[in-house]
Amino acid sequence: MNIHEYQASELFAKYGLPVNAGRVAYNPEEAAAHARAFGGTVVLKAQVHSGGRGKAGGVKLAKSPEEAAEKTGQILGLDIRGHIVRKVLVAPAADIAKEYYLGVILDREARGITLMGSAEGGVDIEEVAATAPEQIIRVTADRTLGLQDYQARELAFGMGIPADQVNGFVAIAKGLYAAFVGEDASLAEINPLIRTGDGKWQALDAKVVLDDSALGRHPGSEALRDLDEENATELAAKAAGMAFVKLDGEIGCMVNGAGLSMATMDAIKFAGGAPANFLDVGGGATSAQVVAGLKLILDDPEVKAILFNIFGGIARCDVIAQGIVDGLTQIEVKVPLVVRLLGTNQEEGRRILRDSGYNLITADTMSEAAQKAVAAARGSL
Ligand code: GDP
Ligand code: MN
């Protein structure tokens, strides 16, 4: 689950990180009031679940309450990488002497929690990773003992932090690591982490992604969810008891079981296509769920073909087949459908599909199904 910068800052503050305390404004008048309360120059920052706000005009300085109101008016409503700005964080402007990058990630390759730091702060870290990977220093925390001081120092030295500033940096690295672990995050990032003109460390931006699977351990986290920022289709799937993840390919997938879904997506890639979504209708899928799933997939205008890959273990092929047929009677489907049914009651399932009168493409194996779906999406089947 993604949360906003102002919420991530509040989490960071709980772990002793020096954040820039700001206030959220929903309109220019509120922004002016906050600016008046802070006095002096303030920074106005679009609160959206996206980076790159600076470049998109979503971060501006204002020297007076009037200017704060005017610039907030410019920021509200902006479209930043597909996210519409509905609120703005108003905070005292910082005096930046140097910008660094500091992030904590769940590092599958290293099989641990890795801290990444760079003296190339403030900019897109993905860009640094692509153009100057040697500028990113990594240390993986000790799996048993957690992040050790010497590891944080190693990071600091690699980032070229002057010796007299290293202890302060170590405290921040340890605080960020503690926040990551304590909040069950999958990402915690400060970009930029700055040195101020008067020689202090400050976290000038805050990004946290919380692990959805751990939300149950944090009763307060659900309140941080911003429904405006979430994919409507994913929310509808959740309400229908299905796991749905929107992807950017052209082949809609309906599969039972998470493992089979992953394998199906691989098979589509292997056949030269790209999945439009991940959709696990679950082990005991009902025909109503199949109908709901079909609607979710067809919500996406990019979908050019749909692949059903069903293994009847607990689920029965005839039930799924009936769901597909029910779906087709309820929803007008204009894209080709490829169906592979295997397992319990497969003969009955295939008979239902055959007798339905709908034009369905069938396949016996997963790779055949994937190839047919890719061909069908290209209109060459
Ligand atoms: P992002 O572009 O979405 O990552 O937004 P950030 O919060 O990181 O802001 C982008 C950039 O705006 C930073 O790297 C800074 O250079 C600048 N910036 C942000 N806050 C302040 C501030 O208080 N004072 C000044 N002078 N610049 C700021
Ligand atoms: Mn940033």
Side-chain angles (χ1 to χ4, degrees):
M1 180 172 103
N2 288 311
I3 62 174
H4 287 294
E5 174 193 2
Y6 74 93
Q7 298 167 321
S9 290
E10 281 169 23
L11 291 183
F12 285 175
K14 281 201 317 193
Y15 292 86
L17 291 169
V19 297
N20 196 2
R23 291 182 196 166
V24 177
Y26 293 84
N27 55 55
E29 296 72 45
E30 273 178 346
H34 294 334
R36 202 166 290 120
F38 286 126
T41 304
V42 291
V43 62
L44 308 163
K45 303 172 83 179
Q47 296 298 288
V48 280
H49 289 180
S50 166
R53 298 168 303 170
K55 277 187 208 157
V59 179
K60 295 186 195 296
L61 293 172
K63 293 196 180 71
S64 67
E66 295 70 34
E67 199 182 344
E70 186 194 327
K71 291 194 170 163
T72 296
Q74 293 164 6
I75 296 173
L76 288 169
L78 273 183
D79 180 334
I80 300 180
R81 296 184 183 169
H83 299 254
I84 306 298
V85 182
R86 294 182 173 85
K87 42 187 171 273
V88 169
L89 181 67
V90 184
D95 166 23
I96 305 175
K98 167 86 188 134
E99 296 184 302
Y100 294 92
Y101 170 91
L102 182 63
V104 185
I105 57 162
L106 189 63
D107 187 348
R108 290 181 171 80
E109 222 162 293
R111 299 183 185 179
I113 297 170
T114 293
L115 277 84
M116 298 193 301
S118 177
E120 297 294 313
V123 293
D124 254 351
I125 198 66
E126 287 82 6
E127 215 171 290
V128 181
T131 57
E134 74 285 351
Q135 295 287 334
I136 299 177
I137 315 301
R138 295 162 182 265
V139 295
T140 298
D142 187 285
R143 281 180 206 84
T144 313
L145 303 172
L147 181 70
Q148 297 295 290
D149 287 17
Y150 80 89
Q151 296 186 299
R153 280 197 295 273
E154 200 179 298
L155 191 62
F157 294 134
M159 289 163 67
I161 292 172
D164 61 325
Q165 300 170 15
V166 166
N167 284 347
F169 173 84
V170 167
I172 288 176
K174 292 185 81 176
L176 190 61
Y177 175 83
F180 178 97
V181 174
E183 299 297 325
D184 284 317
S186 54
L187 174 81
E189 198 178 76
I190 306 173
N191 187 29
L193 167 65
I194 63 157
R195 285 294 290 187
T196 60
D198 56 357
K200 293 197 181 79
W201 286 104
Q202 192 172 52
L204 209 55
D205 190 6
K207 179 170 178 183
V208 168
V209 180
L210 297 172
D211 183 344
D212 287 317
S213 304
L215 289 178
R217 290 169 23 131
H218 304 275
S221 293
E222 205 49 46
L224 301 179
R225 190 182 291 282
D226 183 347
L227 293 179
D228 284 335
E229 289 278 359
E230 305 222 349
N231 181 291
T233 308
E234 292 186 6
L235 289 173
K238 209 172 157 207
M242 289 180 281
F244 181 98
V245 180
K246 164 95 182 76
L247 302 168
D248 46 18
E250 70 289 349
I251 298 174
C253 306
M254 191 181 305
V255 188
N256 64 332
L260 190 61
S261 297
M262 300 296 279
T264 304
M265 290 161 51
D266 284 347
I268 289 170
K269 284 265 185 191
F270 195 67
N277 68 281
F278 168 100
L279 172 56
D280 171 13
V281 286
T286 63
S287 67
Q289 275 175 317
V290 176
V291 173
L294 205 49
K295 283 184 183 152
L296 295 176
I297 291 174
L298 289 167
D299 266 352
D300 180 355
E302 297 302 315
V303 169
K304 302 283 184 295
I306 301 177
L307 170 56
F308 291 84
N309 189 12
I310 304 297
F311 181 77
I314 300 168
R316 289 163 32 203
C317 290
D318 55 323
V319 172
I320 302 273
Q322 193 56 52
I324 295 172
V325 174
D326 289 350
L328 293 178
T329 48
Q330 290 174 37
I331 312 164
E332 189 190 3
V333 182
K334 292 189 180 130
V335 298
L337 303 180
V338 179
V339 187
R340 178 212 180 210
L341 287 178
L342 191 76
T344 309
N345 294 359
Q346 62 183 40
E347 292 313 326
E348 179 63 7
R350 288 174 188 175
R351 189 195 60 72
I352 291 170
L353 294 181
R354 232 180 3 254
D355 294 351
S356 70
Y358 289 106
N359 187 16
L360 302 168
I361 302 160
T362 57
D364 292 329
T365 67
M366 182 145 81
S367 55
E368 184 195 344
Q371 282 160 17
K372 284 183 168 173
V374 172
R378 289 186 184 142
S380 57
L381 192 80

